[in-house]
Amino acid sequence: STNEPITVQEHQYETDEWTNAPAQILSSVSRRLHLQKDHPITITRKIIESRFPGFKTHNSLFPVVTTYQNFDSLGFQPDHPGRSRTDTYYVNKNTVLRTHTSAHQADVFRANESDGYLISADVYRRDAVDRSHYPIFHQMEAALTWDSNSLNGESLAKRVWEDLEALPKNSIEVLDENPTIHPERNPLQQEHKQEDVEAIAAHLKKSLENVVVEIFARAAESSKSTTNNVTEAPLKVRWVEAYFPFTSPSWELEVFWQDEWLEVLGCGVVKQQLLNNAGVPTRSGWAFGIGLERIAMILFNIPDIRLFWSQDPRFLSQFSESAQPLVSRFVPFSKHPACYKDISFWLRSSSAAGGMVKGTTSDFHENDFMELVRDVCGDLVEDVRLTDEFAHPKSGRRSMCYRINYRSLERTLTNEETNGMHERVRQALVEKMGVELR
Ligand code: PHE
């Protein structure tokens, strides 16, 4: 079979049996919402950037990266599930659409242009269809490193504690019940001294608590101006232990927001091996990564992640980088009716599974179904939910039933239009995934 090359902006790539990045996704690469003037993602980025004066910003790094950059340079093992074609968009075997901004860590460390840096960028993941998931979203990465040699007789730990003293003070309630280092769950790297890591972790945590204050104080402010009965609860955050292949120890930060704990970011002490490989073995420090959509949805009270991609002036005109106050609640422009349609099908029986069939394996992966729906319907589907699944008692064959919620954010869909889309989903399902409709 002939494989057409893929062009992303001016770059051309060979394709192969790993290629799974759809044209629709590739053509959105040029949107760069985080750079679009007055876009809520841009405003959110700038609010966070304002907390890191002196950090060098990298905001237009190209999204097509090697599997080495996205995974290997960060210590992801060869069999890590994140590498699978069901989760990641491959341009070809060695080339992916970055799945996180960490893909650029090693390169930016290697360039060694500043102690601190920030990277904001579009990232790509195959995932569910619902109001908080979209295959393209935006992250901001930050890192700060120090020279680990003692300078003028001052140890690394001492200099880091001094820098921490200079950070703005905050008065939020912080729950942090685990020790900085736990030998099994959150180990100290063999290259590091405990006193240095204690200082780096404290600096990291204080820096991020300040980010939360900046964001959530503004969000509370904006909800106060339109809701009259909110009780002003003090901001509460908690640190939980986490794991990333490229940091240790690692944490996630959660914020108590509207009665639940929300995970807002991942972070940790950068693996020394990564810094050594990047040619800066004498530097040590921290890194974090934060998802901008999640923050923007909270800040502006935006109910559906598809809205960020809307070109409708009724959405875009509500945000301005020079507004006073900067953050105000989004006012929905009428909710259009939902239209639910079910689709049930038998999967190919596993005995008939003969390996690769036109780009899909014989196994059913939910993300493939999700993408097929997006391919056919674009942004006209609000969510896709599994409503039933069973195995035939005799043949063992599996049956699935999904409920698709068709709803445009911008207009009322006609019956004809939804019926047509649903029929095209049914056909595509048979053609591309080889299922039998029930
Ligand atoms: N890249 C991680 C993610 O996407 C977040 C992260 C960044 C964690 C930097 C630690 C340090 O989940």
Side-chain angles (χ1 to χ4, degrees):
S1 65
T2 52
N3 289 316
E4 292 288 318
I6 282 179
T7 306
V8 187
Q9 305 193 316
E10 54 283 1
H11 306 254
Q12 235 195 44
Y13 301 91
E14 297 302 314
T15 56
D16 58 26
E17 69 281 2
W18 281 75
T19 308
N20 67 350
Q24 208 183 357
I25 297 290
L26 293 166
S27 68
S28 299
V29 158
S30 59
R31 290 285 299 274
R32 310 209 297 175
L33 301 182
H34 65 292
L35 300 179
Q36 187 178 319
K37 188 172 183 310
D38 295 330
H39 195 281
I41 297 293
T42 298
I43 297 174
T44 305
R45 165 176 69 78
K46 291 190 170 180
I47 289 172
I48 303 173
E49 282 175 352
S50 75
R51 277 287 173 175
F52 297 97
F55 280 49
K56 186 177 166 78
T57 56
H58 300 266
N59 291 342
S60 24
L61 297 173
F62 196 60
V64 180
V65 299
T66 61
T67 50
Y68 182 82
Q69 289 172 297
N70 199 79
F71 298 118
D72 303 271
S73 73
L74 295 159
F76 282 81
Q77 293 306 305
D79 60 352
H80 191 280
R83 294 183 189 251
S84 85
R85 289 172 73 250
T86 58
D87 289 13
T88 297
Y89 290 112
Y90 280 83
V91 169
N92 59 41
K93 188 178 192 313
N94 300 313
T95 318
V96 296
L97 290 171
R98 67 182 154 225
T99 64
H100 54 176
T101 43
S102 303
H104 301 290
Q105 268 195 23
D107 296 334
V108 179
F109 281 131
R110 187 172 296 108
N112 198 15
E113 294 170 323
S114 58
D115 295 347
Y117 66 75
L118 296 161
I119 301 169
S120 295
D122 37 334
V123 301
Y124 299 76
R125 291 186 201 173
R126 302 185 78 217
D127 213 326
V129 174
D130 64 39
R131 275 180 294 178
S132 59
H133 290 91
Y134 200 82
I136 314 177
F137 59 102
H138 298 78
Q139 284 186 328
M140 183 185 285
E141 186 101 359
L144 178 62
T145 60
W146 288 264
D147 194 319
S148 51
N149 296 315
S150 77
L151 294 181
N152 311 319
E154 290 203 330
S155 71
L156 171 59
K158 179 152 191 293
R159 280 176 288 126
V160 176
W161 284 114
E162 277 165 14
D163 287 350
L164 191 153
E165 276 307 305
L167 292 175
K169 304 276 175 280
N170 67 58
S171 56
I172 57 174
E173 190 182 324
V174 180
L175 304 172
D176 191 3
E177 33 185 45
N178 295 298
T180 306
I181 290 155
H182 184 282
E184 285 96 43
R185 300 192 310 260
N186 228 355
L188 178 71
Q189 299 169 48
Q190 61 179 34
E191 298 91 336
H192 287 163
K193 286 201 293 216
Q194 172 144 2
E195 56 162 23
D196 293 341
V197 169
E198 291 286 355
I200 292 169
H203 191 283
L204 168 63
K205 288 176 175 175
K206 182 66 75 197
S207 303
L208 286 170
E209 288 157 15
N210 285 341
V211 168
V212 166
V213 170
E214 186 74 38
I215 294 166
F216 287 81
R218 286 181 197 255
E221 188 66 29
S222 82
S223 59
K224 211 167 48 192
S225 61
T226 46
T227 323
N228 29 31
N229 61 347
V230 284
T231 43
E232 199 49 75
L235 208 45
K236 204 160 64 179
V237 301
R238 73 176 178 201
W239 288 100
V240 297
E241 292 173 333
Y243 172 80
F244 303 101
F246 41 95
T247 53
S248 192
S250 309
W251 300 276
E252 276 162 4
L253 178 58
E254 298 183 341
V255 177
F256 198 69
W257 181 250
Q258 293 174 352
D259 289 329
E260 53 180 5
W261 286 104
L262 265 183
E263 181 198 316
V264 293
L265 58 87
C267 64
V269 176
V270 181
K271 285 269 179 85
Q272 201 58 45
Q273 195 59 50
L274 194 161
L275 292 157
N276 296 352
N277 293 344
V280 287
T282 66
R283 301 201 68 86
S284 295
W286 54 249
F288 73 77
I290 189 166
L292 294 178
E293 272 78 357
R294 155 90 31 115
I295 300 297
M297 288 173 87
I298 292 167
L299 261 177
F300 298 98
N301 200 39
I302 294 172
D304 189 312
I305 197 166
R306 290 176 293 163
L307 280 161
F308 294 115
W309 297 87
S310 172
Q311 318 248 28
D312 192 320
R314 289 174 298 176
F315 176 74
L316 293 173
S317 68
Q318 295 196 30
F319 311 96
S320 162
E321 290 171 44
S322 52
Q324 251 349 303
L326 183 55
V327 171
S328 57
R329 283 165 79 92
F330 167 65
V331 183
F333 38 94
S334 77
K335 183 121 171 150
H336 299 282
C339 177
Y340 294 94
K341 287 185 185 294
D342 289 348
I343 188 164
S344 319
F345 49 89
W346 293 107
L347 300 185
R348 271 174 300 191
S349 58
S350 38
S351 58
M356 302 289 279
V357 180
K358 211 178 182 323
T360 43
T361 65
S362 53
D363 297 317
F364 176 80
H365 287 289
E366 185 161 281
N367 283 348
D368 294 338
F369 177 60
M370 296 288 172
E371 187 161 279
L372 183 147
V373 175
R374 285 198 194 274
D375 253 3
V376 175
C377 312
D379 287 356
L380 298 179
V381 168
E382 182 167 294
D383 66 50
V384 177
R385 234 175 286 201
L386 182 66
T387 52
D388 191 28
E389 179 182 9
F390 69 91
H392 189 277
K394 292 216 179 81
S395 67
R397 230 177 148 193
R398 268 204 304 156
S399 165
M400 321 288 282
C401 181
Y402 282 92
R403 179 158 297 168
I404 304 179
N405 175 9
Y406 294 92
R407 188 205 312 256
S408 165
L409 292 163
E410 288 153 8
R411 60 198 171 80
T412 297
L413 299 173
T414 63
N415 282 337
E416 218 179 351
E417 207 174 355
T418 28
N419 289 339
M421 271 190 289
H422 197 62
E423 193 45 45
R424 287 197 297 282
V425 169
R426 289 167 58 86
Q427 277 168 19
L429 196 52
V430 173
E431 283 163 22
K432 303 220 167 91
M433 300 182 74
V435 306
E436 187 188 322
L437 297 175
R438 304 186 50 209

